[in-house]
Amino acid sequence: MLVEIIEDAPILLPNVEHKNFTSSGDVLPKGTITDGELKNVNGLRRGSPFNYRVFTTKEGDIIYSKYVKPMAVEVTMGADSQVSATKVEMIKSETNTTTRRVIGAVVGGVVGYAVSKRGAQKSFTQQLIYIGGGALAGYLVGNYMNRKTGIVVQKAK
């Protein structure tokens, strides 16, 4: 893991007798970029069990993890875990008239009309309310189904 030292970090030496760490007197200066890994080390602190979270560099230096900040690492692999480029089709940008939403609104409107006729709603206004409510419900169902679609990944050749 690539990290940057955010403060002057004292280099630690393991104290086997007391199962803890002591400062060596050396310091890794602020702004240093180094490679290594984070580790959890079980030890003692004031006679009680304690879990030390330390960072060990590739050179073998040990420092407390509070002095490091992980660097962002850019991964340049394809979407199908191949090193070569991969064709990825993204979802079109969000609009209010996607196919599923329009179909949902139309089907919902038809269902609302059928319900209004079956319920023998005589008033034209009541029929429009049923149609509008059905269309709104169909639009919301289409919107929910539209969110469930993802990206399409084709394997690299």
Side-chain angles (χ1 to χ4, degrees):
M1 168 194 294
L2 200 59
V3 298
E4 179 182 4
I5 308 296
I6 57 174
E7 252 180 73
D8 287 346
I11 297 176
L12 304 172
L13 295 174
N15 185 345
V16 180
E17 182 180 338
H18 296 286
K19 295 186 180 179
N20 61 12
F21 296 96
T22 57
S23 178
S24 68
D26 295 331
V27 174
L28 283 176
K30 176 181 179 181
T32 304
I33 296 175
T34 185
D35 197 11
E37 60 184 30
L38 288 169
K39 291 184 178 179
N40 288 325
V41 179
N42 295 323
L44 296 176
R45 183 174 182 185
R46 296 187 181 122
S48 301
F50 187 76
N51 189 8
Y52 290 95
R53 188 158 163 79
V54 296
F55 182 80
T56 307
T57 65
K58 294 283 185 190
E59 295 82 29
D61 296 332
I62 302 171
I63 59 174
Y64 288 120
S65 62
K66 67 180 183 178
Y67 294 114
V68 299
K69 180 179 93 174
M71 306 271 299
V73 178
E74 182 180 346
V75 178
T76 57
M77 292 172 111
D80 60 352
S81 300
Q82 300 296 320
V83 178
S84 61
T86 303
K87 183 178 178 183
V88 177
E89 296 176 22
M90 299 298 285
I91 301 172
K92 293 180 182 175
S93 63
E94 284 293 318
T95 61
N96 290 331
T97 56
T98 61
T99 306
R100 290 184 179 166
R101 291 176 184 164
V102 171
I103 290 172
V106 169
V107 170
V110 170
V111 170
Y113 177 75
V115 168
S116 71
K117 283 298 186 181
R118 183 169 175 90
Q121 302 297 330
K122 303 288 185 206
S123 168
F124 181 71
T125 308
Q126 286 179 333
Q127 286 181 351
L128 285 179
I129 290 172
Y130 274 87
I131 292 170
L136 179 63
Y139 178 84
L140 293 175
V141 169
N143 187 30
Y144 175 75
M145 290 174 58
N146 199 41
R147 271 196 225 138
K148 292 292 184 181
T149 59
I151 61 172
V152 177
V153 178
Q154 296 175 351
K155 193 164 180 77
K157 295 178 183 174

